[in-house]
Amino acid sequence: MAEKTRVYSEETKREVVERFLEGHRAVDLQEQFGIKNRRRIYEWVHKVRDANSLEALKDTRGVSNKGRKKEKSLEEENEQLKLENLYLKKLLDLKRG
């Protein structure tokens, strides 16, 4: 029977990453926090360094993508308003002669 994957809290991940960046060894952190695979620590550190923020450690599984769709629709709305603005400016120019 396969072993269930362990999920670590965001707080635990933050603490481990902060201590690692302070110079603590991954082996020591692994033992102290009961992390089964040391590679997990390096993955968390890599995520934080790439994003330049501890926010990268948040678990986003199950989070709705509605925000992404909204951003896209805002971009589309912005483009539409730009086109309407351009159209009205040209219309004014034509009326003025």
Side-chain angles (χ1 to χ4, degrees):
M1 190 166 145
E3 198 172 309
K4 187 176 179 181
T5 303
R6 172 112 191 249
V7 178
Y8 299 95
S9 70
E10 183 182 341
E11 187 175 318
T12 299
K13 293 175 187 179
R14 284 177 184 259
E15 185 71 24
V16 170
V17 170
E18 286 173 353
R19 288 186 184 192
F20 181 85
L21 294 174
E22 289 171 358
H24 290 79
R25 295 176 349 147
V27 170
D28 297 334
L29 294 170
Q30 179 185 3
E31 290 175 11
Q32 184 179 357
F33 288 90
I35 298 169
K36 196 161 192 165
N37 187 342
R38 190 176 336 139
R39 182 75 195 131
R40 179 75 56 216
I41 296 171
Y42 296 118
E43 289 171 357
W44 296 339
V45 171
H46 185 71
K47 271 185 174 181
V48 168
R49 284 185 175 156
D50 282 352
N52 202 22
S53 170
L54 289 171
E55 294 299 311
L57 297 174
K58 284 191 175 184
D59 186 4
T60 57
R61 291 177 296 172
V63 175
S64 174
N65 287 335
K66 289 180 183 177
R68 291 185 192 141
K69 290 179 184 175
K70 187 174 184 178
E71 286 179 30
K72 185 175 180 184
S73 66
L74 286 175
E75 290 173 7
E76 289 173 356
E77 182 181 0
N78 190 22
E79 186 63 30
Q80 179 66 32
L81 290 172
K82 285 180 182 179
L83 290 172
E84 287 176 8
N85 195 8
L86 184 61
Y87 173 78
L88 292 171
K89 284 181 181 179
K90 287 185 178 185
L91 191 61
L92 267 175
D93 286 342
L94 288 173
K95 278 190 172 186
R96 289 182 184 159

